[in-house]
Each structure stands twice: as structure tokens, then as C-alpha cells.
Amino acid sequence: MDNNNTFQNKDNPNEIPIFQNDDYSQARPNQTIDENITSNQNPVSEDGEIELDPTFVEFSEENDSDNINTSNDSYDDCSEKPIDPIAPIMPRIEKTTYKPIEISKSDKGIKVFAFIIAFLILISACVTGGYYLGISSNKSTTPKVDLASKPKSENALTASQVYNAVSPSVVGIYVYNSDEGIASTATGVFYSEDGYIITNDHIYDGVAAAKFKVYTHDKKMYSAKYVAGDTRSDLAVLKVTDADNIKFKPAALGNSSEAVVGESVIAIGRPNGATNPSIASEGIISAVSTRVSTTTSYTSSLIQTDSAINPGNSGGALCNSYGQVIGITSAKLVGDEYDGVGYAIPTTTVKKVVDSLIKHKTVKGRARLGISYLHIDQLTAEITKNPCGLQIAAIDKSCDLYGKSVEINDIITHVNSLELTDSNIILDIIDAAKPGDTLQLKIYSVKNKQSVDITVKLLEDNGTSSYTTQKQHNDKNNNDDNEYNSSEFNFPNGE
């Protein structure tokens, strides 16, 4: 070993010298590189400096200093630890071989199971979302209409202002078919901006496969289709079919339960022809709840008014002094002994029936007892020596009374412990009840002169409509839509 801390292998004098300190600048320029060094090592330039291969990664000074051998210790045996001549300059980069991770069969099974569960959850979410979307879509077809409270008295309008506010919501209706041509005329009221129209069920009675044309306040004509109707309430719903993207003006419906006797009202309709402008007639409310026989089987609680209601007014609007429609005009009693007696279906009934007709095409949630009766008032009771009440004229086989030792001509004297001095008592109770509710009846046997207590369950009355596709014989005047023309009415007989 010489003074420069180098040594030379005596057996192989051409072997590269080993430097024992970190000052690689002391390498002698006449030193050579063994021919056995591989080609990926850096060659030495002609001036003796080592040339770096540009393919090597450049390292920072900080990293370089970590790889420089700062030890002053020398190796005693060069064969024990050979030194790469480039090691002081560049770190050795070793090739790393990565073996793929082997997945066991159990892991694969877990992944397949998780995938199946995720797929089933996705399918369930799609089905559930579609279901609720369908419900939402169906609900959206039913217009949401609320009954507004009566405004303060200082906000009352003049008759002219009421007419201007309501007449755009009133339409004329022609009822016709291919056989008869125009069968009748009537009036209707827009219930929603998408073209649902309220009118009376009797306007197409006897007209087979009736069709409809409606005329708006701006003198435009549209086709309309029958949606549903109800004979008991005398309400029907039509729908404009050829008015895409057109928004009509629905009537503002007031709460008829807030009406009072003597209150000013205005009837608006088309008694002078469906194509002519609506006319107004002013009057007052004569009674807020009068039972009238709308069919041979039922009576309804109606608003009575002295406003002029003529043929063609059926299905029109009865308005209060605030531009609110509180009733749909229906029957008009005419005759020498009657004058100024008209009726309108209250909006509390209109909303319940019309909403159900639009949504279900029938009336849901309406109750009935299932009998026909004759009212025995106090005078009749005194004459016949029988108690007051409802004398049973017929019992429906579906009625809960059928087969319970109750006979025709027996008299219902009490309902829920209330004495039936007036037939309205039981009728109002039934109107407020729901199908399945029970009534406690006390029934007097005319034959045995004894009374029994019976519990009965109310039935559901979905109702029927006068609309038909079958040809029927029609003796009515085709120009008169009012089927109730009579010098007298059958009240209070009925159910």
C-alpha cells in the first residue's frame, strides 16, 4: 500500500485501484478500467474524468452526500468487498420484482356476494323511485283546490266587479250527438287552469254517447270529454281536450259554510245560449241549507236563492259579493205558485264530490243507510196514532237492517238517542259520516206496538251517473236542460 491510500492487486495489475477516502479527485489520470466492466458503467473521458451516463437519474446534493463513503477505514482484503468505481458518485439502483397478490377463493366469493347485494339494492331503489314517481305523477293530475274564507266586509265588490272577476271562468256548453244534433245547452265553471269543468250531471240525461263543445268568455270554442258524473249530487266533470299549453282561469271557490241568510249573491250563467256572453242576476240567499229531492231516491242540502235561474243556467256559478263562487246552480222550481226559488249545490259538497270524480271516476267515502222512507211529522203522527220519525218504505238487500226483524212500515224514531222530529237530523248525521260507521237506531213496530234498539253499519255510496252510451227514449224538451220542471216537488220523501 502506498502513501496515497491506494493499493494495487499484484495478481492483476490492471484492476482498478480502490480509494479509501472520499476525495475521488486524487485518482491518477493514467489509471485504466478493467475490460470486464459492463457497458452500463460510465466510461472515462480522454482527460481522465468520469463521464456520467445521461440515463442515470440526477440526484440532489443532499442525497449524494448520503451515499458518499466518509469512512477512513480501508479494506484489508479487496476480494472480501469489491467496490464499484461509480458507487461514490451514484447510488446503486436495484431492480425490484413485484409478485402479483394472489386472491383466495374465499375473497373472491365475498366480492361476488357484495356485488350481488349492491345490484339488488340498486334494483330496489329504481323500483321504489319509479313507484313514488308514478304516485307523484298521478297526484299531479288532480287539481289542488282549496275553499277560501270570506274576506272582510269592507272588501265587498259591486255587482259589476263580481261579474268581471267571475265571468272569464264561466263557459257555455252544447250537449250533442250524431243522431240528435244539439240536445241541450248548459253552463259550466272552470275548476282548474288545465281545463277541468264543473257542471250538472242531468245536462246529458237521455243523450246517448253525448259529446260536448264549450265556449269561453273570449268566444273561442273547444272540445270537451266526459270525465265522471254523480246523479245524487247532480254534479259532473268535463275536461277540455284540444287546448294544449293553454291555461284557463279557474273560479275562486269560497267556503259555502260561511254563507248567511240575506247575504247578496249573483248568479252567472248562459241561459240565453252557449255561444252568447254570460248574464248576471242578483238576489239574496233565502236559506243556507234546504233539503231538496234531486232524484227520486235522494235529497240534498242546497243553498236556496231568489236570484233568477233559468233553463241553461244549470252548472253555472252562484257568487258572493267578493267574487267567490259559493255554489253551482242546479234546479229551478217553476210554476204558477212558485216565484224566485232557485237552488245551488254548496261548495263544501262540490269540492268533496268533484275531487273524487276526477281522481277515482266515482264518489269515494260517501255513506248511505240503504232504505227508502216517508217522513212522519207531528201532525201525521197525531192522526195515525204513531210516533214521529221515518217510516220505512223499502230496504236494500245490502242494508245492514235487512233480515233484522225490521218490516216495511216500521218507524225509525231515534238515531243516536236523538228524536227524529225532522228528517234532516238523520240525513245530516249520514252526510257527516263515513262508510263503515255505525248508527244506534230505535225502531217502532207498527204491528207489535213495541220499540227495539238496533245497531246498523253504514254502506258506501259510490253513486251512478246519467251519462250513457245507450240510446234512450227522451221525452224532454231538448232546448231545456232542467229536468226538474214541475209545479211541485217530492220533498221530503227519499233516502
Side-chain angles (χ1 to χ4, degrees):
M1 187 172 295
D2 57 15
N3 295 330
N4 291 325
N5 293 328
T6 64
F7 69 88
Q8 199 171 23
N9 193 331
K10 295 178 180 181
D11 297 331
N12 188 4
N14 294 326
E15 186 175 6
I16 190 169
I18 305 301
F19 304 107
Q20 293 300 318
N21 55 30
D22 57 356
D23 189 5
Y24 57 83
S25 63
Q26 296 179 8
R28 291 189 296 275
N30 60 352
Q31 289 178 322
T32 61
I33 301 175
D34 188 83
E35 294 179 354
N36 294 327
I37 297 177
T38 57
S39 60
N40 65 343
Q41 294 175 334
N42 294 318
V44 179
S45 64
E46 295 178 356
D47 56 1
E49 294 183 358
I50 297 175
E51 294 181 353
L52 297 179
D53 190 335
T55 60
F56 277 79
V57 180
E58 183 177 356
F59 290 83
S60 65
E61 294 180 359
E62 180 181 357
N63 293 333
D64 290 344
S65 63
D66 292 342
N67 292 280
I68 297 174
N69 183 14
T70 58
S71 173
N72 291 325
D73 298 333
S74 62
Y75 293 104
D76 294 334
D77 187 358
C78 63
S79 63
E80 181 181 356
K81 189 135 179 121
I83 303 299
D84 190 337
I86 308 304
I89 301 173
M90 296 297 297
R92 181 177 297 276
I93 301 176
E94 297 182 356
K95 182 178 180 181
T96 303
T97 302
Y98 295 95
K99 294 183 179 180
I101 300 175
E102 295 183 357
I103 302 175
S104 64
K105 292 183 178 180
S106 60
D107 291 338
K108 290 181 180 179
I110 292 174
K111 288 188 175 183
V112 171
F113 177 75
F115 175 79
I116 294 175
I117 293 298
F119 180 76
L120 293 176
I121 292 175
L122 178 62
I123 294 297
S124 300
C126 293
V127 172
T128 304
Y131 172 76
Y132 284 106
L133 182 62
I135 292 178
S136 176
S137 176
N138 290 336
K139 286 184 178 180
S140 65
T141 62
T142 304
K144 180 176 175 55
V145 178
D146 295 320
L147 302 182
S149 296
K150 185 189 299 183
K152 297 180 180 179
S153 58
E154 57 265 26
N155 295 325
L157 306 175
T158 64
S160 178
Q161 289 173 325
V162 171
Y163 177 84
N164 291 333
V166 179
S167 60
S169 302
V170 177
V171 300
I173 302 174
Y174 273 133
V175 183
Y176 69 99
N177 64 13
S178 57
D179 294 333
E180 302 179 43
I182 298 176
S184 64
T185 64
T187 304
V189 177
F190 276 121
Y191 190 64
S192 65
E193 64 180 13
D194 58 346
Y196 281 107
I197 298 172
I198 314 169
T199 187
N200 290 146
D201 179 72
H202 72 260
I203 67 171
Y204 42 69
D205 185 23
V207 183
K211 299 179 180 180
F212 310 94
K213 292 291 184 182
V214 299
Y215 298 84
T216 56
H217 74 291
D218 53 1
K219 298 183 179 180
K220 293 182 179 179
M221 181 183 74
Y222 299 95
S223 296
K225 67 177 181 179
Y226 167 80
V227 175
D230 178 54
T231 303
R232 175 173 171 178
S233 63
D234 195 24
L235 288 170
V237 178
L238 307 180
K239 177 71 163 60
V240 176
T241 58
D242 57 351
D244 295 338
N245 301 320
I246 297 179
K247 292 185 178 181
F248 300 100
K249 182 182 179 182
L253 299 187
N255 193 336
S256 59
S257 65
E258 298 177 354
V260 295
V261 174
E263 182 179 353
S264 295
V265 289
I266 298 172
I268 301 176
R270 302 275 181 100
N272 56 338
T275 59
N276 295 319
S278 299
I279 66 170
S281 57
E282 190 173 14
I284 64 170
I285 293 178
S286 305
V288 294
S289 180
T290 300
R291 284 279 172 183
V292 177
S293 178
T294 56
T295 69
T296 56
S297 300
Y298 296 99
T299 64
S300 294
S301 180
L302 305 177
I303 298 173
Q304 182 177 329
T305 178
D306 65 351
S307 299
I309 299 176
N310 299 298
N313 265 111
S314 290
L318 185 68
C319 314
N320 60 18
S321 298
Y322 307 96
Q324 297 175 329
V325 176
I326 60 172
I328 300 298
T329 55
S330 180
K332 168 74 166 61
L333 297 179
V334 295
D336 294 339
E337 61 268 49
Y338 293 100
D339 185 26
V341 179
Y343 296 96
I345 306 164
T347 52
T348 50
T349 300
V350 171
K351 175 174 169 52
K352 180 168 60 177
V353 172
V354 169
D355 283 350
S356 185
L357 290 178
I358 293 175
K359 186 175 182 180
H360 303 292
K361 304 299 183 290
T362 187
V363 180
K364 292 284 188 180
R366 183 173 58 186
R368 68 184 180 96
L369 180 57
I371 66 169
S372 296
Y373 64 87
L374 176 67
H375 181 229
I376 305 297
D377 58 20
Q378 291 181 342
L379 179 58
T380 304
E382 184 177 341
I383 295 174
T384 60
K385 307 300 182 183
N386 288 317
C388 296
L390 306 182
Q391 189 168 33
I392 299 173
I395 303 176
D396 193 320
K397 290 184 178 180
S398 61
C399 177
D400 205 23
L401 279 177
Y402 190 81
K404 288 189 175 182
S405 302
V406 178
E407 298 181 357
I408 303 301
N409 294 326
D410 286 354
I411 301 172
I412 303 174
T413 60
H414 294 76
V415 57
N416 296 344
S417 301
L418 298 175
E419 186 179 1
L420 295 181
T421 57
D422 189 335
S423 63
N424 289 355
I425 295 174
I426 189 170
L427 296 176
D428 290 342
I429 291 174
I430 294 174
D431 283 348
K434 296 179 180 180
D437 290 350
T438 57
L439 300 180
Q440 302 297 325
L441 304 180
K442 183 180 286 294
I443 300 178
Y444 175 79
S445 172
V446 175
K447 180 188 297 185
N448 300 325
K449 307 297 180 181
Q450 294 179 346
S451 295
V452 294
D453 293 326
I454 297 178
T455 300
V456 295
K457 183 181 295 185
L458 294 176
L459 309 174
E460 184 171 32
D461 179 21
N462 297 131
T464 58
S465 176
S466 300
Y467 189 85
T468 180
T469 58
Q470 304 298 321
K471 290 184 179 181
Q472 297 178 357
H473 180 67
N474 185 8
D475 293 330
K476 296 189 308 176
N477 183 347
N478 288 338
N479 293 322
D480 182 0
D481 72 56
N482 193 338
E483 68 177 321
Y484 305 117
N485 292 345
S486 173
S487 60
E488 60 182 309
F489 56 94
N490 188 24
F491 172 78
N493 297 336
E495 180 169 284

